[in-house]
Amino acid sequence: MGSSRLTLPVIVFAQFCCTSLWFAGNGVMNDLIQTFDLDPAALGHLTSAVQFGFITGTLAFAFLGIADRFSPSKVFFYSAIFGALFNLGILVESNSSGSLLMLRFLTGFSLAGIYPVGMKIASDYYREGLGKSLGFLVGALVLGTALPHLLMAVMGLQGLPWKSVLVTTSFLAFLGGSLIFLLVQDGPYRRPMLQKDFSAMLRVFNIPKFRAAAFGYFGHMWELYAFWAFVPVVLKVYSVLHPHSNFNVPLLSFFIIGSGGLVCAVIGLLSQSWGTKRSAAGALLLSAACCIISPLMFLQTSETFFIIFLLFWGMVVVADSPLFSTLVAKHAPSKGRGTALTVVNCIGFAITIVSIELISFLLEVLDPVYLLLFLAPGPLLGLLVLFRKRRNQLPTISPEKV
């Protein structure tokens, strides 16, 4: 397919299809808890299992240089197939809490060959306008992540069983992987790593601009997935505090999480004139403000205003994701770009486990009105790193010399 105009749309659509696996368990969480007699804390644990699987996968992929040594399109395809199968494994009636955790872990491991590898494929095709390309890709991730909530809402209205959500997301993953395998060749800017270089995953942090982008991304990740995971909980808490509200939680969860998808595509375009770093900082600042004022939002009585607030937060919480990925890819060495993107994703998602488990714990011991306040340190620290003045800074290291 080469550098056809259809390359980016195919990659974006495939990313959307395959990342629907990410929150497939979250979309049917209430049914999983009832069917398999799980503890209410399963929301945090099953979500963390996916994140931990993703971390383990990205660490393995980065350590072995998988995305740089082998065809990224084939890596994407096989990862999508395995992810679809592990997702379907939830349907086995003899599952226990342990087997469900393992299946979600393996699904997360498979996603390590989808999300960062999809960005790698895009970076192999596009040098100019990479921010725009990654903006579309992260937008696809956001919509794919939100999709199970929409499927649950629609299938619930149609009277279809909750298992249909898992079947549909697995089919989409198979479709997305097949499209990449059949239609997207290795990009013209791909520089394969001919030999394993285990130290490459650490040496990239010697590049000051790469390091700043990576740590800004880490601050962003502290907030992102914890917010996404607990959107249904937030809606239920507001409903308890204000009994007059009548929320369709799955449908609203889709719109709140999915609202960031369009913003990711738009911010990639706007960053070309605003500047990538400045655009990322603006999104971090706005999401930090949402964290800080969130307790006040629970207290006001207008459910419309509350939903608008969450929709806005859903937009800004992820708007900086493609921008940081762009900065990371831009400042990484071309021969190790896939490894660099993968290791940064690995560390970022490790951070999400800490924040998700922290919020899960606080949900048991703290008034839930104050839960999201504890997400604020992430974007605030991200801003600090982005604009910290490094005194006595060493000469800039070229990415190609690392």
Side-chain angles (χ1 to χ4, degrees), residues 303-326:
E303 59 184 81
T304 300
F305 187 82
F306 184 70
I307 295 302
I308 291 174
F309 167 72
L310 290 178
L311 286 169
F312 175 77
W313 197 350
M315 295 177 190
V316 297
V317 74
V318 72
D320 47 1
S321 195
L323 304 176
F324 282 122
S325 296
T326 300

Side-chain angles (χ1 to χ4, degrees), residues 182-203:
L182 295 173
L183 300 178
V184 181
Q185 303 171 6
D186 293 336
Y189 297 114
R190 179 175 179 248
R191 298 293 181 268
M193 185 185 292
L194 301 180
Q195 295 180 340
K196 289 184 288 188
D197 185 358
F198 297 138
S199 62
M201 59 185 289
L202 298 178
R203 288 207 314 273

Side-chain angles (χ1 to χ4, degrees), residues 21-363:
L21 298 173
W22 216 307
F23 270 24
N26 294 63
V28 296
M29 186 61 66
N30 289 335
D31 295 280
L32 289 181
I33 291 174
Q34 293 175 11
T35 302
F36 297 103
D37 194 26
L38 303 178
D39 187 272
L43 168 61
H45 298 328
L46 289 174
T47 304
S48 293
V50 180
Q51 308 299 82
F52 186 52
F54 184 83
I55 293 162
T56 306
T58 50
L59 186 61
F61 277 51
F63 187 72
L64 299 174
I66 297 294
D68 292 309
R69 296 175 57 226
F70 302 101
S71 166
S73 296
K74 292 181 180 179
V75 172
F76 190 105
F77 169 71
Y78 289 117
S79 299
I81 298 303
F82 281 110
L85 292 174
F86 294 134
N87 189 54
L88 284 175
I90 297 176
L91 300 180
V92 177
E93 294 182 359
S94 59
N95 273 318
S96 63
S97 59
S99 63
L100 289 173
L101 286 170
M102 179 56 67
L103 286 167
R104 295 310 289 158
F105 170 87
L106 292 172
T107 302
F109 192 99
S110 302
L111 285 163
I114 294 172
Y115 176 43
V117 174
M119 291 193 293
K120 159 67 175 171
I121 295 172
S123 68
D124 287 343
Y125 270 91
Y126 303 97
R127 282 285 179 85
E128 298 298 325
L130 180 60
K132 178 182 68 175
S133 302
L134 294 186
F136 286 125
L137 279 175
V138 177
L141 164 71
V142 175
L143 290 176
T145 302
L147 182 63
H149 292 291
L150 177 62
L151 292 175
M152 189 61 187
V154 172
M155 291 178 179
L157 292 174
Q158 298 297 321
L160 296 174
W162 60 270
K163 295 180 179 181
S164 303
V165 174
L166 300 174
V167 173
T168 302
T169 50
S170 289
F171 170 77
L172 288 173
F174 176 80
L175 174 63
S178 299
L179 288 174
I180 290 290
F181 183 75
L182 295 173
L183 300 178
V184 181
Q185 303 171 6
D186 293 336
Y189 297 114
R190 179 175 179 248
R191 298 293 181 268
M193 185 185 292
L194 301 180
Q195 295 180 340
K196 289 184 288 188
D197 185 358
F198 297 138
S199 62
M201 59 185 289
L202 298 178
R203 288 207 314 273
V204 290
F205 286 95
N206 292 332
I207 305 169
K209 290 184 178 180
F210 175 90
R211 188 169 60 246
F215 277 81
Y217 173 78
F218 299 155
H220 148 79
M221 288 298 283
W222 171 267
E223 178 191 12
L224 179 61
Y225 274 84
F227 174 77
W228 280 353
F230 286 89
V231 162
V233 174
V234 167
L235 291 170
K236 291 176 183 175
V237 168
Y238 185 87
S239 297
V240 171
L241 293 175
H242 306 279
H244 66 277
S245 58
N246 184 24
F247 291 156
N248 183 327
V249 173
L251 188 61
L252 285 174
S253 297
F254 166 76
F255 282 115
I256 292 166
I257 297 172
S259 63
L262 178 61
V263 174
C264 285
V266 172
I267 200 72
L269 297 171
L270 294 178
S271 66
Q272 294 179 314
S273 56
W274 290 357
T276 304
K277 180 180 176 181
R278 181 182 298 177
S279 301
L284 276 177
L285 180 62
L286 290 172
S287 60
C290 289
C291 295
I292 293 169
I293 67 173
S294 60
L296 298 176
M297 295 297 102
F298 280 100
L299 300 179
Q300 59 81 39
T301 57
S302 171
E303 59 184 81
T304 300
F305 187 82
F306 184 70
I307 295 302
I308 291 174
F309 167 72
L310 290 178
L311 286 169
F312 175 77
W313 197 350
M315 295 177 190
V316 297
V317 74
V318 72
D320 47 1
S321 195
L323 304 176
F324 282 122
S325 296
T326 300
L327 291 172
V328 167
K330 178 180 178 181
H331 298 303
S334 60
K335 291 184 180 180
R337 185 175 294 121
T339 297
L341 284 166
T342 303
V343 73
V344 168
N345 272 267
C346 175
I347 298 172
F349 279 86
I351 292 170
T352 68
I353 290 184
V354 179
S355 60
I356 288 171
E357 290 297 328
L358 173 64
I359 300 301
S360 293
F361 169 74
L362 292 176
L363 185 61

